[in-house]
Amino acid sequence: MSLRALSLTCLVSLSALPAAHAAEVQFEGFYRARMRLIDSLSLDRGLATNEGLTWYTQHRLWLRPNLYLSDQASVHVDLRGLDGVYWGDQPATSLSPVANAAPTFDDGLTAPTSTSDPQTPLFDVTLWRAWAETRTNIGRFKVGRMPVHWGTGIWLNDGTSVNPMYADYGDTVDRVSWELLVQDSFWLQAAVDVSAENLVNERDDTTAFNAGVAYRNETVAAGLLTRYQHTSNPDPNGRFNLFTADLTTEAELGKLDIEAEFVGQFGGGALPEIGEGVSVTAFGALLDAELDLAPWVGGFTFGLGTGDGDTNDLRLKTFTFDRDYSVGQFLFEQPMPVLAAATATDANAGRSFDETLVGNAVGNALFFKPRVSRQFLPGWRANVSFLGARVAKVPESFEGRRSYGMEFGTGVHYDGIEHVEFGLDLGAFLPGSYFRDFRGDLGGRYDDPVFGGQLGLRVHF
């Protein structure tokens, strides 16, 4: 029996044991099916390497069994199934023992599994996280591999709490933590993370130390989380230190909800991909406000990730949002421009990123996104939005390419059935000068608009 099958069997067995010997098992999670259609992320339909229409559907299953052994002890497990697997991927094949047998046209799909590459995860069922909790009179202790999330999710994002129709990753740490709630309002935390275990018995590991404090009442909440991350190395010149401070606040002022988060990162040392003498000074900020005047709801999001005026020196000033914080359907969500590979292989999936300028996360950007939605039937809501973004700091090498462009979005969402969420989002992206004025080796203009949409269904529990 495989390790994955054994793990699932144990979980099922626990839930079936007599009450006197079994834990109380409570499940949470969701299944998501997401279809995307985009034309074209190449931004230049005249190029011979234009990728053209992209159309695919993906699975994602997240399952968390919570095993409550007593009022004071519990174990929690996160499992992922068919995570990001495309519909129709891994068709099953069979060979007939009969020579020259006619082909059969039966259907069958198998779950993709990992290759020999240790960086490639399993795609059928993956043990994602597992941790234990103990509640005592002096606080709650947590030990294991667990999700981490803070504030709006622009720095630490667990991949399930914010905008789960678009989230794909999730931040995870190996941690020992202590948390204490005082008078139901004040929250304290101290934690130690093992971020990277490199060569055993060598002094090249990465360890992080965390401290947090927060306050909450019926209308206002605020918190500060700090982290000191240290990478050691036998070579005195090979060490790297990073300090992060994240201040977040939220307020419910009648019909107005406001969230804000401000992140600062400071550090220095040596990074393998850059060298010695690196210094880091970067800031990220987000402000989100929403006014509920039922049936109308209006709001806006303002965000900033600092940039670097000189990309060739050792002073790093670019702040990059977490990949699971999604702003739009295309900009900072999909890499652009993406071209068709000269030779399609399993490794490149038929795509080339040789001239890609923007990835799937906000970085070196100043953006503003107003939005309006209206309920038009019970459970049904329609929305429109606009996203505009520009480069926060324009290096000389950009030659004045300041604007990322504009994105227009509209959609309809339904949540009238308990535990069910349905959404259809349509959009168009108009490239700005950051793309239009780029001159790569292929001679592309990269000024064609992108059109597309996403159809999603999520059943959560």
Side-chain angles (χ1 to χ4, degrees):
M1 181 180 292
S2 69
L3 177 60
R4 300 186 302 279
L6 180 60
S7 300
L8 290 175
T9 302
C10 291
L11 289 175
V12 174
S13 300
L14 277 173
S15 62
L17 287 173
H21 303 284
E24 177 186 352
V25 182
Q26 297 180 5
F27 288 88
E28 60 180 301
F30 62 76
Y31 170 76
R32 181 187 72 190
R34 182 179 68 186
M35 181 177 70
R36 286 175 166 172
L37 188 150
I38 306 173
D39 185 22
S40 155
L41 294 176
S42 296
L43 305 183
D44 188 340
R45 293 177 174 82
L47 276 177
T49 53
N50 171 39
E51 184 180 51
L53 179 67
T54 303
W55 183 13
Y56 58 88
T57 305
Q58 292 172 300
H59 300 276
R60 191 183 204 201
L61 172 69
W62 166 56
L63 181 64
R64 175 178 292 172
N66 299 299
L67 287 73
Y68 294 97
L69 308 174
S70 68
D71 292 337
Q72 295 180 299
S74 60
V75 175
H76 308 265
V77 179
D78 276 359
L79 301 170
R80 293 190 297 184
L82 296 176
D83 197 19
V85 172
Y86 298 104
W87 283 30
D89 195 8
Q90 206 77 2
T93 58
S94 61
L95 298 177
S96 174
V98 179
N100 301 319
T104 59
F105 302 98
D106 51 338
D107 293 328
L109 291 174
T110 61
T113 56
S114 69
T115 65
S116 58
D117 183 0
Q119 301 301 319
T120 303
L122 294 169
F123 287 111
D124 49 359
V125 175
T126 303
L127 181 59
W128 188 11
R129 302 157 173 159
W131 71 99
E133 298 185 11
T134 302
R135 288 161 286 279
T136 71
N137 293 333
I138 59 172
R140 178 171 63 171
F141 295 87
K142 301 167 67 175
V143 179
R145 180 162 295 190
M146 64 192 73
V148 285
H149 191 92
W150 182 257
T152 62
I154 65 172
W155 173 43
L156 297 178
N157 194 312
D158 62 10
T160 59
S161 300
V162 178
N163 203 0
M165 279 291 196
Y166 282 83
D168 291 301
Y169 305 99
D171 293 336
T172 304
V173 296
D174 288 329
R175 165 176 289 189
V176 176
S177 75
W178 165 82
E179 299 175 5
L180 179 65
L181 185 62
V182 181
Q183 297 181 347
D184 294 329
S185 295
F186 294 92
W187 173 85
L188 304 174
Q189 182 197 57
V192 178
D193 304 336
V194 178
S195 303
E197 176 71 29
N198 292 313
L199 299 177
V200 176
N201 299 324
E202 289 287 342
R203 300 186 304 276
D204 58 355
D205 302 332
T206 299
T207 307
F209 303 90
N210 306 265
V213 59
Y215 169 79
R216 184 181 186 92
N217 59 29
E218 294 182 354
T219 59
V220 177
L224 174 65
L225 181 65
T226 60
R227 169 186 280 186
Y228 169 72
Q229 183 172 305
H230 173 71
T231 301
S232 59
N233 195 294
D235 183 354
N237 296 322
R239 299 182 178 182
F240 182 78
N241 300 296
L242 181 66
F243 175 78
T244 303
D246 188 324
L247 177 64
T248 183
T249 183
E250 59 179 297
E252 299 178 7
L253 307 175
K255 297 181 180 296
L256 179 65
D257 292 340
I258 299 175
E259 286 185 290
E261 186 168 358
F262 181 81
V263 186
Q265 292 186 317
F266 315 91
L271 291 175
E273 61 273 21
I274 298 178
E276 301 174 4
V278 174
S279 66
V280 177
T281 306
F283 301 94
L286 184 88
L287 173 64
D288 184 90
E290 186 169 274
L291 181 63
D292 188 351
L293 299 174
W296 293 92
V297 176
F300 72 87
T301 304
F302 171 82
L304 167 67
T306 56
D308 204 330
D310 187 350
T311 57
N312 296 317
D313 63 12
L314 296 177
R315 292 175 295 179
L316 307 183
K317 300 180 180 180
T318 298
F319 181 85
T320 302
F321 283 36
D322 189 278
R323 294 175 297 172
D324 279 323
Y325 189 87
S326 301
V327 178
Q329 295 184 58
F330 312 113
L331 186 59
F332 307 126
E333 179 69 18
Q334 301 286 344
M336 295 186 293
V338 177
L339 306 177
T343 302
T345 65
D346 291 339
N348 62 30
R351 314 184 89 186
S352 169
F353 300 96
D354 290 344
E355 299 206 349
T356 297
L357 302 176
V358 172
N360 59 349
V362 178
N364 188 12
L366 182 70
F367 68 87
F368 179 70
K369 184 178 182 179
R371 60 188 185 274
V372 177
S373 67
R374 188 185 192 280
Q375 180 178 328
F376 61 93
L377 287 173
W380 291 91
R381 179 170 294 275
N383 64 276
V384 294
S385 64
F386 167 82
L387 172 62
R390 59 154 292 169
V391 177
K393 183 68 174 180
V394 184
E396 292 184 2
S397 59
F398 283 19
E399 299 178 349
R401 295 160 38 223
R402 297 178 178 274
S403 171
Y404 286 117
M406 300 179 294
E407 184 172 313
F408 301 88
T410 186
V412 60
H413 296 257
Y414 176 72
D415 59 3
I417 301 175
E418 189 176 6
H419 303 297
V420 176
E421 176 187 0
F422 165 84
L424 173 64
D425 296 310
L426 303 173
F429 171 68
L430 306 180
S433 58
Y434 185 77
F435 299 97
R436 294 197 311 264
D437 297 341
F438 173 73
R439 296 295 176 264
D441 296 335
L442 300 178
R445 295 291 300 181
Y446 303 130
D447 57 359
D448 285 342
V450 180
F451 302 100
Q454 172 175 297
L455 178 65
L457 173 68
R458 192 173 72 97
V459 179
H460 53 91
F461 49 92

